[in-house]
Amino acid sequence: SRPDDARNEGWRGYTGRADAAVGRMLDEMPLLKGGIAYLCGNGSMVEACTQLLVAAGLAPQDVRAEQFHAPTAGPPAGGLPAGGPPPS
């Protein structure tokens, strides 16, 4: 996702948002019927990729997904006790 990062020098694979990369991949490679897609990422990316895969012919039940969301700024509702989180 960071093609200009020096650590990615020499990378020749797909770059950019995952849904854009999935769209390009589907144009270049046929989707295998009966396959299963595994997605993990933020909700909008997972939804966009799911729509692309289903539109390309993958059965909705064959798209497995796990969504994560960026943490929000600030402490959770109710705040943290003085001195930081409680001991574990």
Side-chain angles (χ1 to χ4, degrees):
S1 66
R2 295 180 178 96
D4 297 328
D5 188 314
R7 294 173 293 181
N8 295 322
E9 186 175 334
W11 173 254
R12 300 291 178 248
Y14 296 102
T15 61
R17 277 189 54 98
D19 50 330
V22 168
R24 290 192 306 271
M25 289 169 58
L26 290 171
D27 289 342
E28 296 172 13
M29 296 178 260
L31 187 66
L32 297 174
K33 299 293 181 191
I36 297 175
Y38 294 91
L39 306 173
C40 180
N42 70 63
S44 65
M45 185 276 301
V46 168
E47 182 60 33
C49 289
T50 298
Q51 290 176 5
L52 286 168
L53 292 165
V54 170
L58 197 63
Q61 66 270 19
D62 290 333
V63 179
R64 314 288 166 80
E66 180 177 337
Q67 297 182 21
F68 66 81
H69 304 278
T72 58
L80 293 175
S88 358

